[in-house]
DNA sequence: GTCTATAAGAAGATAGAC
DNA sequence: GTCTATCTTCTTATAGAC
């Protein structure tokens, strides 16, 4: 990796651990293996390093969203798959999302940095919201919506069902960001959560009154 | 309010908006209406102000927990109440908790400050977790557990049911902390969430297979 | 591109008058 | 307890040699 990129990488690590103001240009330089003044040959000043990190983050987030959208479109095309999704697959879906968010090195450091810096700049708060709240809700809402259409899940309100699926995952994620030693416990809770979610929303063999209503409506 | 307390108050406001490192002693002094050097007659240094805030926070949190514990004990004594709790009361319970967390001036500023500073100090992360994750889960777990015992709600796993109740509230809270203009939307979502929660967990008139099992177990 | 030396300025903290 | 003046330290950033 070239020096210019290594500066971003080390700066991101430090910013995500201590916050922008508590990281000195000399700290970044030291980790890169150069002296502070050398760093100014690569970036105009400290703020420019931060800005470059945010730019890279936005680029990566966009790429990711694009990738999700594509598999999203595939999902629509292959809606058949979702008619027969099993509880185990639903658990895998949740766990994969969770572990990706938790362990992907970039996404983890970006998230921590955004968490620390969010109140300094409205744009950073917005970026956090989009990446960890609105986009996941929208993407998973689409998946769960497909399952509902396919009759695997049943609900009168896909939005709330999606909230019930994702909010516990989000909460467990913020727990692990703060106390990584609780990860194992969190994964177990996550699995229990999804099993329960599946039980609550899966189509009953014996439909209750509400379910009957819904089934009648669906057959129109 | 005396100067010593006003310093804490103004410092908390600033720390919660900009973070410790971005607030200068002169900023705090200015808001109090004195000059920076005068401030050193009240506190040894900047860190001492921060420490005093954390101390006050811990004191208030303990008081609160004590108060909750007392009403908790009352709740156990008056478990009868929870046998006949209505959906509207459940919504009120959730909304009240949410609006208290969101609007109580101290709790809001403490939470924002903890959010910003949590990665600087493990103790702050722990304080956040206790106040906004573990304690609410434990307190609400007790309430919902009572309702389950009373037969108003039914579940095989009170812990996960509590997660399903609280995680959406927690998520909506973090949304409103970052984007206060979404509060109205969040309150509507919250109400829909609790209605759905109630539908999912309320005892059916016609129990499903699982419910029959549970009812048999309960009559032992 | 990297270094040493150093300027420039910001922020925390103290001294001492009132 | 509050002020003005000032010290000290730390940090960013630049100058200029190699």
């Amino acid at each position: 990796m070239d020096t210019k990129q290594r500066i971003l990488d080390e700066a991101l690590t430090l910013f995500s651990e201590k916050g922008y103001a508590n990281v000195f240009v000399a700290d970044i330089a030291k980790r890169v293996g150069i002296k502070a003044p050398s760093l100014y040959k690569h970036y105009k000043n400290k703020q420019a390093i931060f800005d470059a990190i945010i730019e890279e983050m936005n680029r990566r987030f966009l790429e990711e969203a694009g990738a999700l959208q594509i598999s999203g479109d595939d999902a629509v095309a292959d809606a058949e798959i979702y008619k027969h999704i099993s509880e185990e697959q639903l658990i895998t879906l949740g766990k994969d999302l969770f572990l990706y968010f938790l362990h992907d090195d970039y996404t983890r450091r970006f998230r921590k940095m955004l968490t620390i810096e969010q109140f300094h700049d409205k744009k950073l708060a917005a970026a956090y919201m989009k990446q960890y709240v609105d986009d996941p809700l929208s993407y998973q809402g689409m998946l769960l919506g497909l399952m509902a259409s396919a009759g695997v899940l049943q609900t009168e309100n896909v939005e709330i069902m999606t909230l019930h699926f994702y909010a516990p995952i989000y909460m467990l994620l913020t727990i692990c960001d703060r106390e990584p030693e609780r990860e194992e416990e969190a994964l177990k809770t996550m699995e229990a959560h999804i099993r329960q979610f599946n039980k609550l929303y899966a189509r009953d063999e014996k439909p209750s009154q509400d379910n009957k209503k819904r089934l009648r409506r669906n057959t129109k």
Side-chain angles (χ1 to χ4, degrees), chain A:
Chain A
M1 209 191 305
D2 63 345
T3 306
K4 189 152 184 165
Q5 185 58 35
R6 287 208 52 219
I7 292 169
L8 289 193
D9 197 55
E10 298 295 351
L12 173 57
T13 300
L14 288 168
F15 289 158
S16 72
E17 285 168 359
K18 317 211 263 175
Y20 180 83
N22 298 299
V23 173
F24 312 134
V25 176
D27 298 338
I28 303 169
K30 189 168 193 178
R31 289 183 67 121
V32 174
I34 58 179
K35 298 287 180 181
S38 310
L39 198 142
Y40 288 85
K41 297 286 178 186
H42 301 279
Y43 294 94
K44 201 185 106 211
N45 55 29
K46 186 181 169 186
Q47 185 63 42
I49 299 172
F50 185 81
D51 294 344
I53 289 173
I54 295 296
E55 210 178 314
E56 188 187 1
M57 183 189 75
N58 283 329
R59 194 175 49 67
R60 284 187 190 240
F61 282 178
L62 269 176
E63 267 173 28
E64 242 174 65
L68 284 179
Q69 203 46 54
I70 285 163
S71 50
D73 290 346
D74 287 354
V76 175
D78 299 331
E80 283 298 311
I81 295 168
Y82 292 94
K83 286 189 188 172
H84 303 294
I85 197 165
S86 68
E87 187 178 74
E88 298 310 320
Q89 285 171 306
L90 207 61
I91 290 168
T92 303
L93 198 83
K95 271 191 182 168
D96 284 353
L97 177 80
F98 182 68
L99 289 175
Y100 168 72
F101 271 166
L102 199 60
H103 287 156
D104 181 82
D105 214 41
Y106 267 99
T107 207
R108 210 195 71 251
R109 286 182 289 165
F110 283 145
R111 187 173 58 252
K112 281 186 147 193
M113 193 179 79
L114 285 181
T115 300
I116 298 177
E117 301 298 335
Q118 62 184 321
F119 296 120
H120 299 170
D121 183 348
K122 221 84 194 45
K123 273 183 291 187
L124 300 183
Y128 180 99
M129 288 295 303
K130 186 172 168 358
Q131 185 68 6
Y132 298 107
V133 177
D134 296 319
D135 280 1
L137 281 176
S138 143
Y139 178 66
Q140 286 168 48
M142 185 206 62
L143 288 186
L144 296 178
L146 280 174
M147 294 188 208
S149 304
V152 184
L153 302 175
Q154 63 185 357
T155 181
E156 289 171 17
N157 190 333
V158 173
E159 212 177 298
I160 296 296
M161 177 174 71
T162 307
L163 185 69
H164 283 171
F165 183 76
Y166 182 61
I169 298 176
Y170 172 80
M171 186 164 161
L172 291 170
L173 184 69
T174 72
I175 291 175
C176 291
D177 274 344
R178 291 185 176 90
E179 306 188 338
E181 66 276 15
R182 288 173 73 169
E183 184 180 324
E184 205 184 335
E185 166 210 343
L187 272 171
K188 278 186 196 146
T189 304
M190 167 94 122
E191 187 173 326
H193 149 56
I194 297 184
R195 286 194 197 284
Q196 179 89 336
F197 173 88
N198 190 45
K199 226 174 248 173
L200 292 169
Y201 281 104
R203 185 172 51 191
D204 278 349
E205 267 82 357
K206 269 196 240 168
S208 70
Q209 289 214 327
D210 271 333
N211 304 344
K212 277 186 199 163
K213 252 186 264 168
R214 171 141 201 86
L215 288 174
R216 268 202 300 281
R217 198 182 325 132
N218 284 346
T219 50
K220 274 202 273 206

